[in-house]
Amino acid sequence: MRGEAEIRVRGAVLVLRPSFAALVAAEQEIGPLFAMVERAADGRLGLGEMVALFWHCLAERPEGLTREGFGEGVAAGGLAAATPALKVLVGQILAGR
């Protein structure tokens, strides 16, 4: 589906879908999305912010997956592996799709 991204966490491929509801929930936690996009563009986006955005955009949460476990899985996978998904989500935020 257009606008979706995938991220591998502990061997599972998870779909990230930046729906309106997901982005509103992320914004309530991390602040204005445009400020987050600016921080990402400047290389100042924190791991916690990225995990929060991903968590709220998860299309489906596997049974037993906790926020802490998800965050640890993203960190264990490395920032290089998470960057493509972040790029897709940031693009969707800016495009408004």
Side-chain angles (χ1 to χ4, degrees):
M1 180 178 220
R2 186 170 66 176
E4 291 182 347
E6 293 181 342
I7 186 165
R8 184 174 294 277
V9 175
R10 296 191 172 162
V13 176
L14 303 175
V15 174
L16 303 174
R17 183 176 300 138
S19 67
F20 176 75
L23 295 177
V24 167
E27 190 171 54
Q28 288 174 342
E29 181 176 341
I30 61 178
L33 294 178
F34 283 110
M36 183 212 63
V37 168
E38 288 177 347
R39 288 190 300 279
D42 290 342
R44 297 181 295 113
L45 185 67
L47 178 60
E49 293 174 296
M50 182 173 63
V51 167
L53 177 64
F54 288 175
W55 178 255
H56 289 292
C57 289
L58 279 173
E60 294 181 21
R61 294 185 183 138
E63 188 174 330
L65 181 65
T66 65
R67 171 88 176 253
E68 182 179 349
F70 177 71
E72 288 176 7
V74 171
L79 293 178
T83 299
L86 179 63
K87 184 177 178 181
V88 169
L89 295 181
V90 166
Q92 292 303 308
I93 291 167
L94 292 174
R97 294 189 180 130

